[in-house]
Amino acid sequence: MKLQFKSRLVVLLIRLLLVYVAFMLCRVLFYTFNDTLIDPVSATPMWSLIKGSLMFDTVSIIYINLLFIFLSLIPLRISGNKKYQNATFAVFMVFNGLGLLVNVADIFYYPFKQARIVLGDFVLLKDDSFLPLLGDFVADYWYGFLFYFGLIALLWWGYKAVGQKAQPKASNRRFYLEHAAYIVVMGVLVAFFIRGATFSASSYPITMNDAFLYTENPTHTSVILSNPFCILRTIGRSKDVPNLKYFDEAVAQNMAPTTHTSMDWDAYDIDRNTNVFVIILESFGKAHIKSFSDQFKPGQETNTPFIDSIMQESYVFTNTFQNGRRSIDALPAIWASIPSFKDHFLSLPNSVAAYHGLPECMDEMGYQTAFFHGGVKESMGFVSFGKTTGIKNFYSREEYEAENGNGDFDGKWGIWDHKFLPYVHKKLNGMDKAQKPFFATLFTLSSHHPYSIPEGMENKFTEGTLPIHRAIKYSDYALGQFFNSIKNEPWFNNTLFIITADHSSGADSPKFNKQPYEYSIPLMFFKPGGKFKGKDDKVMQHMDIMPTLLGMLDYDKPYFAFGTDHFNKTTAKDHFAVNHSNGVYNCTTDDFCYIFNEKDVITKFAYKTDPLGKHNLISKKTAKDEATIRALKSFLQEYSIHVNNRDYLPKGEKQAKAMALNK
């Protein structure tokens, strides 16, 4: 018996529903076959697992069926032709057959790497041993192929069991309008789900790391994820970062250790009862801040009167650099001390892993943890990454609008800063009542392209020399209003404010458009009413914030970090900052900037006296230069090893988890 429907759109959706059934059957077998490698799913709410699974299955099914969807809805009369229908059926079976083949293979390949198959895994095809291994794989898991052919039979039968009911021939006008409408509706649905079931301007096509939106358990992300999503979303990105090897592994580990312990830090009035509030200012590069920049003309108006004023009461790191290029790179560097180089770290499949990040360390010391951002939860993968690193409480656009309505949306990214910051104030007051210190992170929003100003404030802020300056003036104003509102709160004087930017954002001077200054960002530690003040010209970077803070709080366990405790005179000796752009690494010490192409240092210049790098000093290489280059190579070697192995845990914790898994 054949089910027939009037609408081609309904027929299409039912056929796609069959693919959903096949994908879910794959997931059930995946978990059944690999349950010993996956933590009990009871640790994550079942509805959350189902919701996440449906989301990633939806995107997988959309990706592999784009051509089929188009052929099914194309507004042409020949679409009713038998040959055309056969061709459409062939497209459905071939593309879904390939997608299910990878999904089924994932079930049995998972124990070998304990992660979903990504595009980089197909490098095995180039290996001479691939065909013999494939033969063994087929022989060992023959029942998997029976399961696969059963799914193919299900799709074949299901497709043939559904069809369109014969209709009287409609007029051309009605025919084309109706089918064009079908395509528009389907196009909207495709865009909606690929962006993570949202139309927010700040959302991106979802990535593998977004599986953490539905669970905090790394092993459960493998249950939620599905292929071919994992393969298609890693096109252009291999599984591995470049495998850089310059030294024997023991030598590199000794020169660039990633497991650290804190030193005793008893300076000033900062201890484990001190609240910590990290404020990340969107696009506030040093070039835009008069008190940080030497490029403002005499008498030129400041863009940041509040930042300039608070700088006088802070411990200021005057030579600080970001460890990535965009907003998405800031939180891995700050929360987990992991930089981004050629690719955004969170866009790599290797970012789906276990962490013991700064928020979790703070939680262990008795801190409440929270993250504030006026965008939607899907924005930049912030919330999903926050969950993996130990943040417990999240306050995004959704929570704000649930309490305050949707009238404060800026029309593009999220909630206006001057509206969202009073909401942050309210929530921090609530956290203070819990009689526990808090560790909170605020990521501001409004100083972002298209640099809009809220209605009614258009005349409050003057134009600067760049379009972004007016928006920075507005965000600085909102921040000043926020600090003015909290200065009398009982928790204010007991809070260490760490104020920085996510990244720079262009400049109107050649100096700040040239490495290393193009990566220059502000960083200040502000403790109200205390003695923790001064200027520090030593090199600092985003990934040093975590180890520096843990050192200040005397964290008493080993922790993982690519960065260094800035106040530990032993480990911070001869420190450098690292960035990547235009195919080369930029290594910045207190005195020099080195340009490294993975083989050799091709440029060395004294960036403080020669900011445009006009004088290449590489021919005058010294013993200290050689030591710096060896340290840089060791660092990059260790980075590639840890990212390729998805290893972001201190040695002791990694070994403990491995032993538990083997049991």
Side-chain angles (χ1 to χ4, degrees), residues 195-330:
R195 293 174 70 89
T198 179
F199 283 124
S200 168
S202 60
S203 65
Y204 287 79
I206 62 172
T207 66
M208 292 175 64
N209 200 67
D210 283 322
F212 283 110
L213 288 171
Y214 305 97
T215 180
E216 297 179 13
N217 189 309
T219 67
H220 292 174
T221 61
S222 295
V223 179
I224 291 171
L225 290 168
S226 64
N227 261 309
F229 173 87
C230 297
I231 292 174
L232 294 173
R233 286 299 287 136
T234 53
I235 289 177
R237 302 182 182 95
S238 70
K239 178 180 73 71
D240 301 330
V241 299
N243 189 13
L244 303 176
K245 185 170 178 61
Y246 304 104
F247 309 108
D248 179 79
E249 176 60 17
V251 173
Q253 285 182 355
N254 184 60
M255 293 185 68
T258 55
T259 297
H260 307 267
T261 53
S262 298
M263 67 171 206
D264 289 335
W265 199 87
D266 55 2
Y268 309 109
D269 56 346
I270 297 168
D271 56 30
R272 293 191 186 183
N273 293 314
T274 305
N275 302 310
V276 178
F277 189 21
V278 179
I279 300 175
I280 305 169
L281 302 171
E282 173 65 52
S283 302
F284 269 57
K286 273 175 60 174
H288 309 312
I289 303 173
K290 190 171 185 177
S291 53
F292 273 102
S293 170
D294 59 2
Q295 301 295 294
F296 277 65
K297 297 176 181 177
Q300 183 178 345
E301 179 187 18
T302 180
N303 300 313
T304 56
F306 173 72
I307 292 294
D308 295 340
S309 67
I310 203 173
M311 183 176 173
Q312 307 306 315
E313 302 298 320
S314 302
Y315 191 93
V316 181
F317 301 90
T318 63
N319 203 22
T320 303
F321 300 92
Q322 64 202 54
N323 288 126
R325 298 187 302 277
R326 293 290 179 263
S327 300
I328 194 174
D329 303 325

Side-chain angles (χ1 to χ4, degrees), residues 352-520:
V352 181
Y355 298 87
H356 194 143
L358 176 59
E360 186 172 348
C361 294
M362 300 298 283
D363 178 74
E364 290 172 350
M365 290 187 285
Y367 280 77
Q368 307 168 77
T369 56
F371 175 62
F372 299 91
H373 183 247
V376 295
K377 286 186 179 298
E378 297 84 4
S379 180
M380 305 282 182
F382 292 158
V383 171
S384 56
F385 184 69
K387 287 185 175 182
T388 71
T389 52
I391 296 289
K392 302 297 185 184
N393 303 291
F394 296 89
Y395 301 98
S396 302
R397 177 185 167 189
E398 291 89 341
E399 286 78 16
Y400 178 91
E401 292 186 338
E403 293 187 28
N404 301 285
N406 56 11
D408 297 324
F409 177 50
D410 66 5
K412 184 73 173 178
W413 296 106
I415 307 302
W416 291 109
D417 283 353
H418 80 290
K419 293 291 188 178
F420 192 70
L421 290 176
Y423 174 74
V424 175
H425 179 179
K426 174 184 174 183
K427 295 303 178 184
L428 291 177
N429 281 350
M431 295 180 74
D432 182 59
K433 293 177 181 177
Q435 303 297 312
K436 292 174 61 178
F438 60 75
F439 170 73
T441 302
L442 165 66
F443 205 129
T444 67
L445 185 85
S446 297
S447 45
H448 197 295
H449 188 273
Y451 314 130
S452 301
I453 303 297
E455 185 177 353
M457 291 189 176
E458 296 89 348
N459 298 323
K460 190 175 182 65
F461 309 103
T462 58
E463 298 287 349
T465 56
L466 293 174
I468 193 175
H469 287 163
R470 194 158 169 252
I472 284 179
K473 291 176 182 180
Y474 158 68
S475 290
D476 179 81
Y477 163 81
L479 190 66
Q481 294 293 104
F482 170 71
F483 269 81
N484 189 54
S485 72
I486 65 174
K487 64 183 181 182
N488 294 320
E489 296 293 352
W491 51 266
F492 179 73
N493 286 329
N494 188 41
T495 300
L496 172 66
F497 296 88
I498 299 176
I499 303 173
T500 187
D502 57 344
H503 57 76
S504 60
S505 51
D508 53 5
S509 69
K511 172 181 176 177
F512 283 101
N513 283 312
K514 174 77 174 179
Q515 72 272 16
Y517 288 108
E518 64 176 321
Y519 301 110
S520 293

